[in-house]
Amino acid sequence: MNWTLEVIVVPVTDLDRARAFYADGLGFHVDHDTVRGGQRLIQFTPRGSGCSVVIGSALRPMPPGTLRGMQLVVNDLRAAHAELLARGVPVSDMQVRGGPTPRPATPDDDLNFVGFLSFQDPDGNGWSVQQITARP
């Protein structure tokens, strides 16, 4: 049986600000931005992902800014880091988390499975990005 993650609900305070961040800042595809019965719902999908992110005026399962641990996977962390910086996203330096303590990544590091960076959306919801180029 396959278990497929479909949607992550992200709590935000300002839908227009969050829409701009996820669509323009991160480059997520806007699947839809709809209003029904006075409630607005926006769904985004990261490029290459089968899982979407949803924000909305009636979706408040937790306080905005409290969601942590969401993780994106890329095949080239250095390119992802450069793209996020070019898009104006405040992003951490790249780290290697394969040893006893995280350390800054160097140009010679093989980042597969151990390379990470992190960022927050405008509300403070925390994201990390990991490089996985091949799975064993």
Side-chain angles (χ1 to χ4, degrees):
M1 174 174 303
N2 290 331
W3 296 76
T4 304
L5 183 61
E6 182 69 21
V7 170
I8 296 175
V9 177
V10 178
V12 300
T13 54
D14 183 323
L15 294 178
D16 291 324
R17 180 179 70 174
R19 185 187 196 284
F21 177 80
Y22 286 100
D24 303 330
L26 298 180
F28 289 9
H29 179 265
V30 179
D31 301 324
H32 60 82
D33 184 342
T34 57
V35 177
R36 285 191 196 145
Q39 296 179 345
R40 185 174 175 197
L41 184 74
I42 308 169
Q43 180 173 309
F44 311 90
T45 300
R47 288 169 282 159
S49 179
C51 182
S52 298
V53 173
V54 170
I55 62 174
S57 58
L59 303 174
R60 303 281 176 162
M62 63 184 75
T66 60
L67 191 58
R68 301 282 184 270
M70 294 174 294
Q71 187 165 311
L72 298 165
V73 172
V74 296
N75 63 3
D76 185 337
L77 192 66
R78 289 177 178 90
H81 188 257
E83 180 179 326
L84 290 171
L85 288 173
R87 289 176 169 271
V89 175
V91 62
S92 72
D93 291 333
M94 293 177 288
Q95 290 188 341
V96 173
R97 296 184 187 168
T101 59
R103 65 170 175 78
T106 68
D108 295 329
D109 284 325
D110 176 1
L111 299 177
N112 195 36
F113 284 100
V114 297
F116 289 84
L117 60 82
S118 60
F119 63 88
Q120 294 182 343
D121 74 7
D123 284 289
N125 295 300
W127 291 81
S128 65
V129 181
Q130 179 184 18
Q131 177 173 311
I132 299 179
T133 53
R135 294 188 187 267

